[in-house]
Structures are given as C-alpha cells and as structure tokens.
Amino acid sequence: YMGTSDSCNLVKAVKALPGMASALSRWWTVLKPTVVLTAWVGVISEYVLDITICWGPSMVPTFNPRGDVVLTDHFMRRFGKYYNAEFKVGDVVVTKSPRDPSIRLCKRIIGLPGDVVFVDPTRSAMRIEVPRGHVWLQGDNVANSTDSRMFGPVPMALLVGRVVARIFPLDQTKWVRSNATPLDVPDS
C-alpha cells in the first residue's frame, strides 16, 4: 500500500529525472576525454611501450646504479612471433623476478631455449642447457648481479619486454643495442 506522501515523493523523483540526466550528461562530457585517454594509455603500456626504471649495480656499465628510465617494448613479446622478431641473445629485458613476481629486474639474455651456457663463468666451467620455454639472464656487472646464476633459468612467461632506449637522464639518452660477447672459457 502506498500512502499519499509516498506517491508525492515518487512523482517528485520522476520529475527530477530529466534534470539528473542532464547533469550526468554534462559530467560525462567533461570526463569522457579523461576516460578515453586513460584507456588508451593502459592499452599502450600493456601491449606496445612502457616506461620502467632500471636501478642497482647489476647492469653497470650499461645503466647507472642510481637508476635510469628506460623505454620497454611490449609489442615484440606479445606479437613478435607473427613477424619473426623474437627475443635474442644479447637483448636487455625487463622481467618479473622468479623469487618475487611483484619485483621487476633488468637483465641481459645470455641463453635461449636449447642453448648451452656457463652457469657461472667467473667461478667454473660448469654448463647447463637452457630448458624449453626458459631463458638464461645475467647482469652486465657479473661481480654484483643477482641473476640466473642464483635462481636458475627464467620462464619466458616472466619476461615483460625488451629495453629499447634509455630516456633519462636526458644527457645520456640513447638506443639500447643488443650485444653479447661470447666467453672464451676452455672445455673441462
């Protein structure tokens, strides 16, 4: 049962709807560009390019230990197999840490699936074959890097993207090239 005051309130609410719709329309007109821009930034940073900070001593001399801002290519990781542009030995990559996936690491690919790599060329000639679906990662500063020598082969699914450029500090902006120097370690 609806009383007289309830029906009056209902009539007032229905009469107020056009005004509320107009106010919502005005707000949407103001917010729409922000919503669209936010969506595009999300898509671009997930599927195309992203900005990451690489810091710490493990990639010296390639990067500064106090931190460099780098541009990371995500497109290649997601779609590279369609245009024959996959990861290669020597690429600098950003990866999720195998020990804590909330942490991002910046390392160089030393070995791809099926490659035989030295586990720790600074200490021994022991070798390992990189398993299918994994890569062997190592910091450029071998003396001060936590990498595959500590946590083993890294699943390729943890790779976030390939570092393509250092964009900050501005006076050190440059493209990051893939380079790998083979180690000359005698057979044992």
Side-chain angles (χ1 to χ4, degrees):
Y1 168 76
M2 219 167 31
T4 308
S5 65
D6 290 338
S7 62
C8 287
N9 289 337
L10 180 61
V11 169
K12 288 179 186 175
V14 169
K15 287 182 180 177
L17 283 177
M20 287 183 358
S22 175
L24 287 174
S25 176
R26 284 191 303 274
W27 273 104
W28 178 243
T29 302
V30 171
L31 290 176
K32 184 178 178 181
T34 304
V35 171
V36 170
L37 179 63
T38 302
W40 274 108
V41 167
V43 168
I44 289 170
S45 68
E46 180 67 24
Y47 293 98
V48 183
L49 293 169
D50 193 13
I51 294 173
T52 305
I53 299 174
C54 289
W55 63 274
S58 73
M59 286 301 290
V60 169
T62 304
F63 298 122
N64 297 307
R66 283 183 251 122
D68 288 333
V69 178
V70 298
L71 196 59
T72 308
D73 171 10
H74 295 259
F75 191 81
M76 189 203 68
R77 177 180 62 90
R78 292 191 178 270
F79 306 107
K81 61 186 170 198
Y82 300 113
Y83 62 95
N84 199 24
E86 299 185 52
F87 292 110
K88 59 185 180 290
V89 170
D91 284 349
V92 177
V93 296
V94 173
T95 184
K96 295 177 185 174
S97 168
R99 292 183 176 164
D100 181 356
S102 69
I103 296 174
R104 303 264 171 121
L105 305 173
C106 189
K107 305 291 178 192
R108 190 175 301 277
I109 296 177
I110 301 300
L112 294 168
D115 288 350
V116 176
V117 297
F118 292 98
V119 173
D120 189 346
T122 63
R123 295 191 178 157
S124 76
M126 188 172 94
R127 299 173 185 186
I128 184 174
E129 181 176 336
V130 180
R132 183 177 170 204
H134 290 72
V135 292
W136 192 266
L137 301 177
Q138 191 170 298
D140 288 353
N141 183 1
V142 179
N144 194 359
S145 177
T146 302
D147 48 38
S148 287
R149 295 171 299 155
M150 301 342 168
F151 44 71
V154 175
M156 291 181 87
L158 292 180
L159 297 180
V160 174
R162 182 173 51 96
V163 176
V164 294
R166 173 175 34 205
I167 59 175
F168 191 84
L170 294 175
D171 63 331
Q172 296 176 14
T173 300
K174 69 175 187 174
W175 295 109
V176 175
R177 303 274 180 226
S178 172
N179 63 357
T181 306
L183 295 171
D184 187 17
V185 179
D187 292 335
S188 55

